[in-house]
């Protein structure tokens, strides 16, 4: 009897499942004219929001390169090796120029 009840519960599916609607992402990486902007836009925003990137501590280019390489090698992000340096340079430049700023939360 227990097995039949358990099977019936499993087959019934989740009861009262709710759906949620999330707002569209509006934050974007700033176009500074840097050659690494487009690769960063195409590669980084696959997994990260622009606000998440903007919230990172101030890193120099070498530290951003280590972060990009970690994403590429450890997490298998689809970043070609030849784009890693330009992405890191863009992120360091945008951070240094204070272009990377998180958007304020909407009320």
């Amino acid at each position: 009897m227990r097995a039949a009840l358990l099977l019936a519960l499993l087959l019934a599916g989740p009861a009262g499942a709710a759906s949620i609607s999330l707002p569209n992402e509006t934050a974007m990486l700033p176009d500074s004219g840097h050659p690494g902007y487009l690769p960063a836009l195409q590669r980084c925003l696959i997994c990260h929001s622009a606000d998440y990137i903007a919230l990172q501590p101030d890193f120099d280019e070498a530290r951003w390169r280590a972060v990009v390489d970690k994403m590429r090698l450890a997490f298998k992000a689809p970043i070609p090796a030849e784009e890693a340096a330009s992405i890191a340079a863009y992120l360091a430049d945008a951070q240094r120029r204070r272009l990377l700023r998180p958007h304020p939360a909407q009320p």
Side-chain angles (χ1 to χ4, degrees), residues 19-96:
S19 68
I20 61 170
S21 171
L22 298 175
N24 291 329
E25 176 67 62
T26 58
M28 190 57 63
L29 293 176
D31 185 355
S32 64
H34 192 282
Y37 165 71
L38 192 54
L41 187 69
Q42 293 171 331
R43 307 301 181 181
C44 301
L45 296 184
I46 292 172
C47 298
H48 304 292
S49 72
D51 282 337
Y52 179 78
I53 295 167
L55 288 170
Q56 299 310 301
D58 287 340
F59 293 151
D60 62 12
E61 189 172 333
R63 179 69 177 120
W64 274 117
R65 179 60 190 261
V67 169
V68 172
D69 284 341
K70 177 178 73 174
M71 296 300 125
R72 226 172 43 77
L73 301 171
F75 297 109
K76 306 301 182 207
I79 302 171
E82 59 272 9
E83 290 181 1
S86 66
I87 291 171
Y90 162 75
L91 292 170
D93 179 65
Q95 214 174 36
R96 183 173 49 255

